[in-house]
Amino acid sequence: MKSTSTAEAISAQLLALLPQHPAEATVHSVFHTSANLLYQGQLVTLLDDTRPLYPCAVRLGGSIPPLAVGEPALLSQERITFPHSGHTIELHRAAVTSLSLFSPLLPLQLPHPAAPQALREIILTSGKPEGFAPLLTLWEDAPSPLPDNLYVRYAAERIPALFAALRQKDAKATAEAAYSIAGCGIGLTPSADDFLCGVMASVLASAIARGEQNEWLPLTAAMAKRAAPRTNLISAAFLRQAAAGQLSSDVLTLIRTFYSSVLSLRLPSAAMNVIAFGETSGTDILTGIYFGQKNYPN
């Protein structure tokens, strides 16, 4: 039975990737609120209307259509069609949205002095502790409200090398340190990978605030290139996107709120929107953002 739906939004990155004329793709994976298509070695993501927009993604006006892993798809800038199931997603009315740190609605500034501590408190009080959030207290003498776990203890022995390499602006050492923890943790996107995405996002935001982004893009690119082969295809795609400053709309909003000279009253709500994603992914991303800005060389 044929059906048609209309996309609400499409990332500018994906629109630039899609061809004018239909090209072949394959359904890679299907979940309750998302599906991934494999197109020329890259993942194209379909999201339902409960999800924020992601890089290289389309957000639909409703639910994900019933798809089967391995079934063919045809992609173009006008529509995505699934010949076997008869479903079509029209793209021509979708709002085109840039999700790049390098085209912010407001210029990024260095965070207000109180913002990092405010973000830390939000993670400790409202974050999900099963991932990397215990890093916030593992290296401190104060009692922790979060129980640690096997994965975070493993990573905690290796992450200091990452921070040291960041402070020295050593791309090779930073990449090796990222590789040493990539793929570690629970979830479809392991905690370490989400943490690394947060680190890269905040490193690039800090660099933009100082006008130093051209010095740091090669470093984040090296991190993602080294870490990506050690994890799954979906998580690797997120690593590469974060390394280029391409972020989900909720993380991008958090970054813009956090990187302000004024301590915004919107910071808690922006952080909670990120925390709401996944089992621990949102919390792990915020933890990476906290440590990334903290270890950016002054």
Side-chain angles (χ1 to χ4, degrees):
M1 182 177 180
K2 294 184 178 181
S3 61
T4 301
S5 58
T6 301
E8 285 186 340
I10 184 171
S11 71
Q13 180 193 35
L14 175 56
L15 188 62
L17 173 69
L18 292 177
Q20 288 188 341
H21 303 289
E24 295 181 352
T26 305
V27 177
H28 171 270
S29 49
V30 181
F31 306 96
H32 181 62
T33 62
S34 67
N36 293 298
L37 315 179
L38 189 59
Y39 169 65
Q40 296 186 352
Q42 297 190 62
L43 290 182
V44 173
T45 302
L46 309 180
L47 301 163
D48 76 3
D49 57 359
T50 69
R51 299 285 299 275
L53 187 63
Y54 274 68
C56 212
V58 172
R59 189 177 68 239
L60 309 184
S63 59
I64 300 297
L67 302 172
V69 173
E71 76 170 278
L74 294 173
L75 309 184
S76 73
Q77 293 183 352
E78 289 294 316
R79 62 187 56 86
I80 300 173
T81 60
F82 302 92
H84 285 190
S85 60
H87 195 84
T88 299
I89 299 171
E90 296 291 347
L91 303 179
H92 58 278
R93 294 182 180 177
V96 181
T97 305
S98 172
L99 297 176
S100 174
L101 273 176
F102 299 98
S103 57
L105 295 176
L106 296 172
L108 299 182
Q109 301 171 312
L110 295 179
H112 184 277
Q117 181 62 24
L119 180 60
R120 181 181 183 277
E121 290 301 318
I122 295 167
I123 298 170
L124 287 175
T125 57
S126 302
K128 300 176 183 178
E130 296 83 1
F132 273 26
L135 288 173
L136 291 165
T137 54
L138 273 176
W139 294 317
E140 300 172 356
D141 293 331
S144 171
L146 305 177
D148 66 359
N149 57 73
L150 175 65
Y151 298 111
V152 78
R153 288 197 299 271
Y154 171 89
E157 297 177 356
R158 294 158 176 79
I159 290 176
L162 173 68
F163 296 159
L166 282 175
R167 290 192 292 269
Q168 296 165 10
K169 299 172 69 170
D170 186 331
K172 183 176 180 180
T174 304
E176 288 302 318
Y179 174 83
S180 75
I181 64 168
C184 173
I186 63 174
L188 176 63
T189 54
S191 293
D193 302 344
D194 293 322
F195 173 81
L196 289 171
C197 285
V199 168
M200 290 188 290
S202 61
V203 161
L204 289 177
S206 297
I208 292 169
R210 290 179 167 88
E212 300 171 351
Q213 56 267 34
N214 291 338
E215 301 174 29
W216 285 87
L217 276 167
L219 185 145
T220 55
M223 287 177 66
K225 182 178 180 179
R226 188 75 175 104
R230 205 180 187 195
T231 190
N232 63 67
L233 189 62
I234 295 173
S235 200
F238 288 152
L239 286 166
R240 294 189 183 99
Q241 290 162 0
Q246 292 283 343
L247 308 171
S248 64
S249 61
D250 55 343
V251 174
L252 191 60
T253 297
L254 180 281
I255 288 285
R256 290 172 176 165
T257 305
F258 183 69
Y259 279 85
S260 170
S261 60
V262 177
L263 183 59
S264 174
L265 296 176
R266 296 190 299 270
L267 182 60
S269 61
M272 290 304 299
N273 285 340
V274 177
I275 287 172
F277 173 64
E279 291 299 321
T280 67
S281 289
T283 302
D284 295 331
I285 290 169
L286 291 183
T287 304
I289 289 171
Y290 172 82
F291 281 112
Q293 59 80 33
K294 187 176 182 178
N295 287 279
Y296 189 93
N298 293 321

